[in-house]
Amino acid sequence: MGAAGSSALGRLGLPAQPRPAWLGVAALGLAAVALGTVIWRQGRPRRRRRLQQVGTVSELWIYPVKSCKGVPVSEARCTAMGLCSGHLRDRFWLVIKEDGHMVTARQEPRLVLVSITCENDCLVFRAPGVDPLVLQSKLPSSNALHDCRIFGLDIKGRDCGDVAAQWFTNFLKTDAFRLVQFEKNMKGRESRDIHPAVVQNYQVAYPDCSPIMILSEASLADLNTRLEKKVKVDQFRPNVVVTGCDAFEEDTWDELLIGNVEMKKALSCPRCIMTTVDPDTGVIDRKEPLETLKSYRLCDPSEKQIYKSSPLFGVYYAVEKIGSLKVGDPVYLMVQ
């Protein structure tokens, strides 16, 4: 009889019945078994996923300013918001109009001619026909904050000053522009607001969709067999280029391990008119290679509500575990 039963007998004025000794032993035995089971389960190593090498990293790219030239790097840290190397962070700078709306090579194709290097803790911008612009990597907190708009979503940006604004205005010669910088303490754009098909929760600064975009050399080579004028990889602005796999094999990869960075597929990369900007001349063609991609890289009809009529080329990834990666790293598919 339990403690509740004994106390009830006492309230009735009846003597409590002694508890058989075997019950106490049995209870202790059950408790020990239960505790042992918990400890065993907690102590069991988590089921490891099998690693299957699907390729090797051949190139790493950081694009500090949205739509400007990329910077090839041999190694990089991978944060939740994308690749970084020294003061260079992927798409942490943005050209805007004075009303805060983003400006990209879709509207100003000559932006692709602007290169960025990091020299003595400064960012140096170079472009044809203008003197270099030298910008401190850390901006004064007294610089104005702008409310910026990227594909209809609000995000902040710290103004990079009048000299930078005049430099971009003088180079592009079409409007008044300003340059802003995203700071780590600012709130990024939420993945669920960027695209409803993305199931992961993450934030990005000024990229279109996700922190990382992956493309294979084989996919680019396949496209070039169909084009009269060949295109280079920087026309598609991937962060990670993979060699050693079949064309479009990256479409099938879900969870990846590169270096000690874990990534999970967020979305296939739908392509737009941006791909028709020649990165060497800054001239927008508005046709190729987009038209050719549309001829054979449209989505499955079941996904048309997601991608509509945009051809797919490359894959967006969310960062599941931050770390470092380098050129030459194996690319592993993590299999359950």
Side-chain angles (χ1 to χ4, degrees), residues 5-306:
S6 299
S7 61
L9 289 174
R11 287 195 298 272
L12 292 172
L14 299 174
Q17 298 296 313
R19 175 183 296 170
W22 66 267
L23 281 176
V25 174
L28 286 173
L30 286 170
V33 170
L35 180 60
T37 301
V38 170
I39 291 173
W40 176 74
R41 284 182 174 170
Q42 289 180 344
R44 285 176 71 188
R46 291 173 58 189
R47 186 177 178 184
R48 294 179 65 86
R49 286 171 289 186
R50 182 167 57 88
L51 299 181
Q52 174 188 337
Q53 185 172 353
V54 291
T56 303
V57 176
S58 59
E59 299 175 42
L60 292 173
W61 290 85
I62 295 174
Y63 305 87
V65 183
K66 189 173 183 68
S67 281
C68 293
K69 279 188 184 297
V71 180
V73 295
S74 59
E75 57 187 325
R77 287 185 298 116
C78 185
T79 73
M81 296 186 106
L83 298 186
C84 59
S85 177
H87 294 299
L88 298 177
R89 299 198 58 144
D90 192 66
R91 295 164 174 103
F92 260 46
W93 287 263
L94 174 71
V95 178
I96 60 171
K97 292 187 176 181
E98 293 196 324
D99 63 3
H101 280 84
M102 72 170 182
V103 178
T104 72
R106 299 169 183 88
Q107 303 87 31
E108 297 291 339
R110 293 178 72 244
L111 275 174
V112 301
L113 302 179
V114 177
S115 67
I116 302 98
T117 56
C118 188
E119 302 172 19
N120 301 320
D121 288 338
C122 293
L123 297 181
V124 181
F125 296 73
R126 294 180 173 88
V130 292
D131 292 333
L133 166 69
V134 179
L135 193 66
Q136 293 293 324
S137 59
K138 185 171 177 57
L139 297 174
S141 59
S142 57
N143 282 23
L145 279 180
H146 289 279
D147 293 315
C148 308
R149 295 281 285 178
I150 296 181
F151 298 117
L153 297 179
D154 294 330
I155 188 169
K156 298 288 186 182
R158 177 82 63 187
D159 192 277
C160 292
D162 291 339
V163 173
Q166 194 60 53
W167 191 88
F168 275 94
T169 299
N170 290 345
F171 173 63
L172 295 173
K173 296 184 174 68
T174 57
D175 206 337
F177 301 102
R178 301 201 73 83
L179 181 69
V180 297
Q181 178 181 339
F182 185 85
E183 296 174 341
K184 287 183 283 186
N185 62 335
M186 293 177 177
K187 179 176 171 56
R189 290 150 51 237
E190 299 276 355
S191 56
R192 62 178 177 268
D193 297 326
I194 295 172
H195 203 296
V198 176
V199 297
Q200 296 98 327
N201 290 320
Y202 59 80
Q203 293 184 13
V204 292
Y206 305 139
D208 281 5
C209 184
S210 80
I212 299 290
M213 202 272 281
I214 292 179
L215 181 66
S216 74
E217 289 182 353
S219 298
L220 179 65
D222 181 277
L223 172 61
N224 273 326
T225 65
R226 306 163 191 264
L227 293 173
E228 192 173 316
K229 181 184 177 183
K230 309 305 180 189
V231 292
K232 297 186 297 184
V233 73
D234 52 347
Q235 199 144 335
F236 302 96
R237 308 177 71 80
N239 298 108
V240 181
V241 181
V242 179
T243 190
C245 63
D246 292 336
F248 309 111
E249 190 180 331
E250 63 267 34
D251 294 346
T252 67
W253 300 340
D254 184 25
E255 294 182 273
L256 297 179
L257 173 67
I258 308 176
N260 59 354
V261 179
E262 294 183 12
M263 308 176 190
K264 184 172 176 60
K265 180 178 179 178
L267 206 66
S268 293
C269 183
R271 294 301 182 167
C272 68
I273 201 168
M274 177 84 180
T275 59
T276 71
V277 178
D278 187 321
D280 295 326
T281 64
V283 174
I284 189 166
D285 177 82
R286 298 189 179 276
K287 290 183 179 179
E288 292 296 356
L290 190 60
E291 291 301 317
T292 296
L293 283 171
K294 285 181 178 180
S295 72
Y296 78 115
R297 287 294 298 166
L298 294 180
C299 69
D300 185 272
S302 64
E303 297 179 313
K304 195 159 187 180
Q305 63 180 13
I306 299 174

Side-chain angles (χ1 to χ4, degrees), residues 302-323:
S302 64
E303 297 179 313
K304 195 159 187 180
Q305 63 180 13
I306 299 174
Y307 301 111
K308 301 181 174 57
S309 60
S310 298
L312 308 179
F313 198 67
V315 182
Y316 285 129
Y317 281 84
V319 178
E320 299 281 297
K321 179 187 172 191
I322 65 174

